[in-house]
Amino acid sequence: MNIALTGGFADPARDAAHAFRAVTEAMARPGMILTVTGANPPRISAAAGITLLTLCDTTTPLHLAGATDTAELRDWIAFHIGAPLVTAEKAAFALGDWRSLQPIDRFPQGLPDYPDRSATLIVEMESLSNQGPRLTGPGIQHHAHLSLPETAAFRANAALFPLGLDFILTSGDQLAALPRTSRVEDN
Amino acid sequence: MTDQAYNFAYLDEQTKRMIRRAILKALAIPGYQVPFASREMPMPYGWGTGGVQVTAACLTPEDRLKVIDQGSDDTTNAVSIRKFFQRTAGVAITEKTAEATLIQTRHRIPETALTQGQILVYQVPIPEPLRFIEPRETETRKMHELEEYGLMHVKLYEDIARHGQIATSYAYPVRVEGRYVMDPSPIPKFDNPKLGGNAAIQLFGAGREQRIYALPPYTDVVSLDFDDHPFTATKADHGCNICGSIHSYLDEVITDDQGGRIFVCSDTDFCAERQQGTAA
Ligand SMILES: [Zn+2]
C-alpha cells in the first residue's frame, strides 16, 4: 500500500481533540512535556505529524525545512492535510530541525496590529527533557526548565513581544511548547 | 450517547482547526483579541455562541463538563448548553467545580479555586474594553498596538469625580502582563482577583464579535486603578443566609411580596457543598 495513504488519524475528530488538548496544555504551560498518539507519519516524529494533522489544512501555508522535505512526507501531507508548501517567508507553520530552520527571523513575526499573524515553528528534537535553559513567564508558576537547542534566538524572539514566533518542540511521541512570552535564561 | 447525525462536538474539523489555531495564538499573546471566523450555532448569539465554539474546539470525549450562568448550573442557558454537548460530544457532566475538567461560564468565576488541568471558558458579549470610548474597530486596534490606554483611565477617573469611587462594577478592565488591556467579560469585579495567578487555563470566546482571547495559568493580571483610589473587590456586606459564607459573592433574592429579602451565594455549587459540609 502507498505509504502516503496510511499513518493518519484513525478517528479524526477524537484523535485531533486529544492531540489539541495536549498542544494547548503545552502552549499554556511552557516547559511541560506531553505525550501524543494516533498517527504515524513518514520520516518525521509522530508528535510532529500529529501536530500537523491537528492544526494544518488547505488554509495554512507550510514550510518544510532541511531534511524534513522528502517526497514521502510531501505525499503524506498532500493526502492527509492538503497544506500548500511554501518558502519560509510565507509560512504559517514550519517544520524542521533547529539547524535547518535557521535563520528564524525569515519567518513571519506578526504585524503590530495583528501580532497573531506570525508563524508557528515545529522543531524536531533528538530528545526532550526538563533539563536545560530556565523559563519564566505566563503559564509558569515559579520557573521551568526545558532542553532548548539554544537560548540567544529565543531571547531575541521574546524581545519582539507582542510580535514573535511560537514554537512546538517534538521528539518521538512527545511534545513541549515555547510561546513568545517565555523568558529564557541560560541555566 | 452521542448523536451520530453530528460530528464530535458539533463543529466540522476544518472549523475546529481554525478555532484551535486562534486559541494557541491567544495563549501566546495573553490578553490580545485574536480574530476568528465565528460559525452559525444552533442557538441565538446572546446564548454564548463564542464560548460554545471554544468549548467545542477543546472538548475531548473524556471531559467532565460544567456549565454555569451567573454562578448557577440550573438556568435555561446553562442547561441548554450542557444538553447540547451531552448530545453532540457524549461528555459527562457535573455541577461540582472540583470535578469538572472544562467549565463554561457566563458572568462568574467559581468560588472554589481552580486547579491545573482545568479549562475555564467564558462567554463574552463585547470583547473590546475600549469600545465604549471608541466605536471604530480600526481605531481600537491601533490603540492596543500603541498602548494608548490613557482614555480608559480618564473614563475611570470620571467615575471617581462623579461618584467618589469607580462605579464600574462589572466587566472591570484589567491589564495583562503589563501589556494588553482586556475585558474580563461581565463578571463582577469581586471576581477580578481570581483572573491572575490562576492555576487553570482561561479562554474567552465572543461569537458575534468573532474574537478569542486567553489567559495562560499564572498570568499577571492587574485591575486598572489609581494610587489614590486603589481597586477593591467589593460585594454585598452580608453573609450568605443559607450557608453562612462571608467570603462568597452574593445575590439578593426577594422572598415574598412584602419586600422580604435574603442574600445567598451566587455560586450554587459552592453553597451546596458548604451546606453538606455543615450538615455532616
Ligand atoms: Zn451560601
Side-chain angles (χ1 to χ4, degrees), chain B:
Chain B
M1 188 70 141
T2 310
D3 188 330
Q4 294 299 324
Y6 299 111
N7 192 27
F8 174 73
Y10 185 78
L11 293 174
D12 64 272
E13 289 307 294
Q14 178 156 355
T15 297
K16 279 192 240 168
R17 280 191 295 271
M18 177 266 297
I19 295 170
R20 286 166 176 165
R21 291 191 295 267
I23 290 171
L24 293 181
K25 287 300 177 191
L27 285 166
I29 317 168
Y32 165 76
Q33 301 163 50
V34 181
F36 80 110
S38 183
R39 293 289 188 261
E40 290 286 327
M41 299 300 287
M43 55 193 76
Y45 270 125
W47 285 48
T49 56
V52 167
Q53 290 176 82
V54 169
T55 295
C58 290
L59 275 181
T60 68
E62 294 76 25
D63 271 312
R64 277 187 308 282
L65 176 69
K66 171 180 167 77
V67 182
I68 47 172
D69 179 6
Q70 312 255 20
S72 167
D73 297 82
D74 297 327
T75 70
T76 312
N77 185 312
V79 169
S80 71
I81 291 172
R82 200 159 57 219
K83 281 187 177 158
F84 174 75
F85 284 116
Q86 276 183 291
R87 190 157 56 91
T88 60
V91 293
I93 56 154
T94 181
E95 296 190 1
K96 295 189 192 309
T97 298
E99 290 180 2
T101 53
L102 193 151
I103 302 170
Q104 181 169 329
T105 181
R106 175 174 175 271
H107 300 188
R108 276 308 312 275
I109 299 176
E111 303 288 351
T112 304
L114 301 178
T115 56
Q116 179 167 326
Q118 291 184 308
I119 298 178
L120 182 60
V121 176
Y122 295 77
Q123 300 172 204
V124 181
I126 301 167
E128 178 50 73
L130 308 173
R131 185 61 70 228
F132 67 95
I133 50 177
E134 174 52 66
R136 291 167 295 180
E137 167 65 18
T138 49
E139 291 303 308
T140 52
R141 190 159 282 279
K142 201 79 187 167
M143 291 162 77
H144 284 294
E145 173 189 338
L146 301 173
E147 298 184 67
E148 276 180 8
Y149 297 134
L151 281 175
M152 192 84 205
H153 280 94
V154 169
K155 152 74 172 75
L156 290 176
Y157 213 87
E158 282 172 358
D159 267 10
I160 296 170
R162 198 173 302 137
H163 308 286
Q165 59 177 349
I166 297 175
T168 305
S169 53
Y170 291 87
Y172 191 103
V174 296
R175 190 100 188 245
V176 181
E177 289 284 324
R179 181 56 181 84
Y180 287 100
V181 167
M182 189 191 95
D183 185 323
S185 86
I187 57 172
K189 69 176 183 175
F190 173 80
D191 283 342
N192 272 29
K194 294 178 237 168
L195 293 162
N198 200 312
I201 295 171
Q202 297 173 80
L203 304 175
F204 300 77
R208 191 183 54 232
E209 304 268 337
Q210 313 206 68
R211 295 289 184 276
I212 289 170
Y213 49 104
L215 296 172
Y218 311 114
T219 295
D220 178 45
V221 179
V222 175
S223 300
L224 301 185
D225 66 356
F226 303 92
D227 288 341
D228 53 346
H229 285 89
F231 172 83
T232 50
T234 50
K235 69 175 193 72
D237 190 17
H238 290 269
C240 172
N241 283 98
I242 296 175
C243 78
S245 172
I246 55 168
H247 301 293
S248 64
Y249 191 73
L250 302 172
D251 287 335
E252 194 174 354
V253 179
I254 310 290
T255 52
D256 55 45
D257 52 13
Q258 271 79 56
R261 57 191 59 198
I262 59 169
F263 288 89
V264 299
C265 293
S266 129
D267 184 331
T268 51
D269 168 59
F270 177 80
C271 199
E273 293 280 314
R274 277 183 54 87
Q275 290 169 58
Q276 285 168 11
T278 313

Side-chain angles (χ1 to χ4, degrees), chain A residues 30-46:
Chain A
M32 177 178 274
I33 298 170
L34 294 109
T35 300
V36 288
T37 56
N40 186 22
R43 309 186 71 143
I44 59 171
S45 68

Side-chain angles (χ1 to χ4, degrees), chain A residues 12-101:
Chain A
R14 287 166 183 79
D15 288 347
H18 288 130
F20 176 68
R21 195 63 164 266
V23 174
T24 301
E25 284 289 333
M27 192 62 81
R29 303 177 196 278
M32 177 178 274
I33 298 170
L34 294 109
T35 300
V36 288
T37 56
N40 186 22
R43 309 186 71 143
I44 59 171
S45 68
I50 288 165
T51 302
L52 293 175
L53 288 165
T54 302
L55 299 176
C56 296
D57 54 35
T58 56
T59 68
T60 57
L62 171 65
H63 178 71
L64 298 179
T68 62
D69 190 2
T70 62
E72 291 96 322
L73 185 62
R74 280 178 171 248
D75 288 348
W76 189 79
I77 289 168
F79 182 77
H80 292 282
I81 297 168
L85 299 180
V86 298
T87 59
E89 293 75 16
K90 293 178 181 162
F93 287 84
L95 169 65
D97 65 14
W98 184 241
R99 180 195 290 266
S100 63
L101 288 167

